[in-house]
């Protein structure tokens, strides 16, 4: 028995060019946003992130946490270029 092609549901057409343009546009926006977020980070933000890491280690490795707190304090006190 031969298969009869369906006329009610045509095969979807994929515009590969449009898909690629969308992917490139999304990647470009993501890259641009990542560059801005890195440029806007300040010493205080970086020190805050290190202190947050130190909080995670405060109970399991207090010596390491103390080193991280000290590093954060030194980083904030460093002169800017």
């Amino acid at each position: 028995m031969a298969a009869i092609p369906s006329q009610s549901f045509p095969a979807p057409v994929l515009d590969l060019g449009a898909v690629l343009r969308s992917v490139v546009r999304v990647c470009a926006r993501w890259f641009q946003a990542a560059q801005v977020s890195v440029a806007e980070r300040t010493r205080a933000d970086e020190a805050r992130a290190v202190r947050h890491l130190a909080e995670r280690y405060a109970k399991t490795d207090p010596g390491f946490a103390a080193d991280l707190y000290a590093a954060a304090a030194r980083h904030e006190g460093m002169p800017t270029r």
Side-chain angles (χ1 to χ4, degrees):
M1 184 153 116
I4 301 173
S6 172
Q7 298 299 322
S8 58
F9 299 106
V13 177
L14 181 65
D15 183 4
L16 188 57
V19 171
L20 288 175
R21 283 189 298 276
S22 296
V23 168
V24 168
R25 193 168 34 250
V26 168
C27 289
R29 287 181 185 161
W30 176 82
F31 182 74
Q32 188 177 30
Q35 291 297 318
V36 169
S37 65
V38 169
E40 291 178 350
R41 288 184 70 170
T42 64
R43 288 190 184 277
D45 294 333
E46 293 168 342
R48 188 177 311 115
V50 172
R51 286 188 184 99
H52 180 69
L53 182 64
E55 290 171 5
R56 291 176 43 198
Y57 285 99
K59 290 184 180 180
T60 58
D61 194 350
F64 180 58
D67 290 342
L68 289 174
Y69 283 123
R74 280 193 308 270
H75 186 64
E76 277 185 321
M78 291 176 63
T80 58
R81 294 181 191 175

